[in-house]
Amino acid sequence: MFVTDIRKEFYDVVVNQRVALLVSSDIDALCACKILQALFHCDQVQYTLVPVTGWQDLETAFLEHKEQFSYFLLINCGANVDLLETLQPDDDSVFFICDTHRPVDVVNVYNDTQIKLLIKQDDDLGVPAYDDIFRDEEEEEEGEDSGNESDGGSEPSGKRRRFDEGALERRIERQRERRSWEARRREILFEYEQYEYHGTSSAMVLFELAWVMTKDTKDMLWWAIIGLVDQWVHDKITHMKYVTDVAKLQRHVSRHNHHNEDEENSLSIDCMRISFEYDLRLALYQHWSLYESICNSCYTSSCFKLWSMHGQKKLQEFLADMGLPLKQVRQKFSSMDMSIKENLREVIEESSSKYGMRDIRIQTFGVHFGFKNKFLASDVVHGAAALLENVEKDESGSDNFIKALDCLSRSNIDRLHRGIDLAKKKLMAIQQTVASCICTNLILSQGPFLYCYLMEGTPDVRLFSKPMALLLLSKYLLKAFVRSTRNKRCRLLPLVMAAPLDVEKGTVIVLGIPPESETSDKKNFFGRAFEKAAESTSSRTLHDNFDMSIIELKMEDRSKFLDALVTLLS
């Protein structure tokens, strides 16, 4: 059931209870969690936080906590499956679900006792009508029973036969109607469920709750911004949706800045100022050198085709056109001459349009902590994601989760800087892998889709056993491939990417993304396709990720699974 008044139907219900928070491992979920933690801290709500990375984790966490808790809040998980069927809870368990995954499972939508959906209704959800997908079985049985009754043999046999024939015809008609209704139901559900996509950021939904309760702070607003920018960085929402949501948050930024003008004028050492800005699509450039940022940002790297000699030459021309000395461009951004930094954005924009990069600017937000620390929202997304999926030390997923959660607090700037350093390594690894895949022709056309498999032994391959890192690599690779291929048909194809997951178990991680296009609606059909391909070939797969388009697959079943996928999508 959709919650219409989030304060009354959710917050006022849990404020005097103990709540289990089950939080997915993505940056938007972490931000939503931070907002909720701040609200719970205000009202002294008791809660237990449990990170969950997939469906198995979710089931385990529920089993461990179902005796102590009646109220569960699921962040960025649980909406797109029949949750009661999955978890088999007792009747007194209530689930509040704040999830960006779409489509929402119809059973969750129409369960009005145990499932409460904290999901924005103004997202275009397209949920089928109740009568189109559910039938009242009792009425049908009653109809059948009344047709079967006879008057105990008192009627003449001819009349009884006519009566029986009439009942039989009615029953046949009912069965025909039922079959027709079921066929229509399958059609409606297929149309509704075939594509996977994302709705409004969970951090934004929970920030609006804080705002309605007049308990919103600048920190909460900043987390809502990071949640939205996470959706943009990981390419989960359309450009139109991003711009619309940016405008909503911009109004809150203006409101907060207006309220706090006195505080800003005092410029205290720990003051916080959020600003809306048009900034460059250059990853982490304020914490790197401009040269390295241009080389390792998806947008500029694929525009220049930096994996080729011609692309490298073009980049040198671009730098010369801007009139920036190489010495300045190659040193850390913070050490560049102030005279260059002041006009840098304008200079880059002007030269970019000559080189076909007309949309190098993007609407975003920045934050100043005190005098020294300035971050763009995308810097924080990259830093937190790198901490969340850190493979450098053999730490548990929950350790990484806590570190990523901590780096979102302004009291933990050092941890965020550590995340940004890891993110630079990750972006460099992605660019090197993209260049290597394109130069060695590792991207193959399978007919209805492109396919790329990272071999065991590829540099940094361990990094790409993690979903967010593999997703970024796939998006970058597809964009670069579309730029470099002469085959026009290949430009319209989606990509299936596979990388080694666990060598000892012999498993690979497989991910599918929709075709690269500026006007793409970001709807992904691979979730359902993967399920069908695995079913038809009895491939040993594990569909454990909250994103249906990411699965685990046994290495030996890879070729038959791919063959089935080709047949299915042809």
Side-chain angles (χ1 to χ4, degrees):
M1 180 185 89
F2 289 113
V3 162
T4 47
D5 184 336
I6 189 170
R7 179 182 186 166
K8 201 161 79 184
E9 295 172 61
F10 162 60
Y11 199 79
D12 291 352
V13 172
V14 300
V15 75
N16 297 315
Q17 307 289 340
R18 290 176 67 229
V19 189
L21 279 187
L22 309 179
V23 182
S24 167
S25 289
D26 68 77
I27 308 309
D28 175 42
L30 262 66
C31 293
C33 175
K34 290 291 285 183
I35 293 169
L36 206 61
Q37 282 180 311
L39 285 175
F40 282 176
H41 183 70
C42 271
D43 293 309
Q44 298 176 328
V45 179
Q46 289 185 315
Y47 67 92
T48 294
L49 171 60
V50 188
V52 289
T53 55
W55 296 111
Q56 289 182 338
D57 259 9
L58 184 63
E59 286 175 45
T60 307
F62 175 68
L63 287 172
E64 284 174 5
H65 294 89
K66 67 175 186 174
E67 302 301 327
Q68 304 100 290
F69 295 91
S70 296
Y71 292 96
F72 295 84
L73 173 63
L74 280 60
I75 301 183
N76 280 0
C77 54
N80 54 347
V81 299
D82 180 348
L83 196 65
L84 300 187
E85 177 69 28
T86 305
L87 299 181
Q88 303 284 322
D90 298 332
D91 291 347
D92 61 346
S93 295
V94 177
F95 299 92
F96 294 98
I97 302 173
C98 186
D99 192 357
T100 68
H101 291 97
R102 307 283 184 270
V104 181
D105 189 273
V106 288
V107 180
N108 293 338
V109 172
Y110 290 113
N111 180 301
D112 52 7
T113 51
Q114 287 182 273
I115 304 283
K116 314 286 183 187
L117 298 164
L118 315 182
I119 283 173
K120 283 188 83 67
Q121 290 275 29
D122 55 6
D123 283 355
D124 185 16
L125 296 168
V127 180
Y130 180 87
D131 292 339
D132 288 341
I133 43 177
F134 297 107
R135 266 175 92 121
D136 199 339
E137 296 293 332
E138 284 174 24
E139 278 179 28
E140 288 190 17
E141 281 167 18
E142 278 170 25
E144 304 247 336
D145 291 343
S146 62
N148 290 337
E149 283 171 14
S150 72
D151 293 342
S154 59
E155 293 282 349
S157 61
K159 197 169 181 183
R160 191 161 60 239
R161 192 179 299 117
R162 278 200 303 279
F163 176 78
D164 289 348
E165 281 169 6
L168 186 64
E169 278 172 21
R170 280 197 300 277
R171 183 187 289 184
I172 290 167
E173 182 58 34
R174 265 197 302 274
Q175 285 174 342
R176 193 181 295 128
E177 272 176 23
R178 183 173 178 83
R179 277 198 298 274
S180 157
W181 180 84
E182 281 175 350
R184 177 80 185 120
R185 177 182 190 270
R186 278 194 298 275
E187 206 177 288
I188 289 168
L189 280 178
F190 174 76
E191 205 168 299
Y192 175 65
E193 292 173 345
Q194 66 176 323
Y195 292 110
E196 185 184 12
Y197 59 105
H198 289 265
T200 300
S201 139
S202 292
M204 278 186 71
V205 171
L206 291 177
F207 174 75
E208 284 189 19
L209 165 68
W211 174 54
V212 164
M213 293 163 59
T214 61
K215 289 183 178 175
D216 57 314
T217 63
K218 272 194 181 178
D219 287 289
M220 290 182 193
L221 175 54
W222 180 236
W223 293 325
I225 287 167
I226 297 165
L228 169 61
V229 173
D230 167 53
Q231 292 190 312
W232 175 70
V233 166
H234 291 102
D235 204 29
K236 290 179 177 178
I237 52 172
T238 62
H239 183 70
M240 192 66 229
K241 171 78 176 150
Y242 175 70
V243 170
T244 308
D245 285 352
V246 160
K248 288 178 187 169
L249 289 175
Q250 191 187 349
R251 288 194 285 275
H252 288 293
V253 168
S254 302
R255 178 173 59 84
H256 270 278
N257 286 343
H258 180 67
H259 281 322
N260 296 300
E261 273 171 4
D262 296 340
E263 180 201 318
E264 307 308 342
N265 292 337
S266 68
L267 261 180
S268 64
I269 196 151
D270 42 336
C271 89
M272 173 184 189
R273 182 171 179 83
I274 302 172
S275 56
F276 168 76
E277 41 201 80
Y278 280 90
D279 217 307
L280 303 166
R281 290 169 77 160
L282 295 177
L284 306 173
Y285 77 94
Q286 295 178 6
H287 307 274
W288 219 344
S289 73
L290 190 63
Y291 183 78
E292 282 173 303
S293 178
I294 291 171
C295 289
N296 293 294
S297 294
C298 170
Y299 182 74
T300 42
S301 171
S302 51
C303 285
F304 285 126
K305 302 181 191 172
L306 289 182
W307 51 87
S308 65
M309 291 300 290
H310 179 67
Q312 292 286 340
K313 192 170 163 232
K314 213 169 163 188
L315 173 59
Q316 301 302 329
E317 286 171 16
F318 174 67
L319 296 172
D321 187 78
M322 290 193 293
L324 298 178
L326 264 182
K327 186 186 169 194
Q328 289 288 328
V329 173
R330 285 181 182 272
Q331 69 183 350
K332 222 178 164 194
F333 180 82
S334 54
S335 309
M336 286 173 80
D337 286 356
M338 277 308 291
S339 55
I340 292 176
K341 276 203 286 194
E342 276 170 5
N343 305 315
L344 189 66
R345 279 190 229 172
E346 290 74 17
V347 168
I348 289 178
E349 265 182 71
E350 198 180 315
S351 291
S352 294
S353 56
K354 295 181 198 171
Y355 284 80
M357 298 183 287
R358 287 183 183 82
D359 49 354
I360 196 162
R361 278 202 326 172
I362 186 79
Q363 295 181 10
T364 187
F365 298 89
V367 71
H368 275 277
F369 297 128
F371 302 112
K372 205 170 93 175
N373 292 294
K374 179 174 193 296
F375 299 96
L376 290 174
S378 56
D379 298 340
V380 184
V381 171
H382 281 297
L387 287 170
L388 191 60
E389 294 191 334
N390 186 10
V391 292
E392 286 191 358
K393 293 177 187 166
D394 284 325
E395 290 184 340
S396 70
S398 51
D399 284 343
N400 286 342
F401 181 94
I402 297 301
K403 284 179 181 171
L405 198 62
D406 282 351
C407 88
L408 298 173
S409 300
R410 54 170 139 162
S411 55
N412 280 324
I413 298 291
D414 289 348
R415 182 151 278 167
L416 178 55
H417 280 299
R418 165 79 182 129
I420 286 173
D421 288 341
L422 285 171
K424 291 178 197 172
K425 290 180 185 174
K426 175 168 139 182
L427 289 172
M428 286 162 75
I430 286 172
Q431 290 307 333
Q432 283 158 12
T433 309
V434 166
S436 156
C437 288
I438 288 178
C439 295
T440 55
N441 298 320
L442 273 186
I443 303 151
L444 309 170
S445 173
Q446 295 285 346
F449 58 87
L450 301 166
Y451 174 67
C452 179
Y453 174 62
L454 295 183
M455 308 287 280
E456 181 57 42
T458 307
D460 303 300
V461 75
R462 196 159 156 247
L463 190 65
F464 303 120
S465 63
K466 301 291 183 185
M468 279 191 290
L470 187 64
L471 177 66
L472 264 194
L473 172 65
S474 305
K475 300 278 185 191
Y476 280 30
L477 184 58
L478 188 56
K479 201 177 189 73
F481 181 75
V482 165
R483 289 273 180 168
S484 64
T485 184
R486 288 180 184 162
N487 184 336
K488 285 185 182 171
R489 191 179 165 277
C490 280
R491 293 175 184 180
L492 306 171
L493 296 180
L495 171 70
V496 173
M497 186 98 196
L501 182 63
D502 189 322
V503 181
E504 285 172 19
K505 289 184 189 168
T507 55
V508 292
I509 178 171
V510 182
L511 174 151
I513 58 169
E516 161 62 29
S517 150
E518 287 300 317
T519 55
S520 163
D521 58 7
K522 309 297 177 196
K523 291 192 172 180
N524 193 335
F525 56 79
F526 276 114
R528 297 285 169 226
F530 285 169
E531 278 176 11
K532 285 196 165 67
E535 212 176 286
S536 66
T537 54
S538 304
S539 296
R540 288 161 294 171
T541 55
L542 180 60
H543 302 256
D544 190 44
N545 200 286
F546 298 127
D547 282 316
M548 303 294 191
S549 54
I550 303 173
I551 63 165
E552 263 180 60
L553 173 69
K554 272 284 186 189
M555 188 73 183
E556 304 95 90
D557 297 344
R558 197 161 51 100
S559 56
K560 69 175 181 181
F561 175 80
L562 273 178
D563 291 343
L565 203 56
V566 171
T567 309
L568 189 68
L569 299 176
S570 291

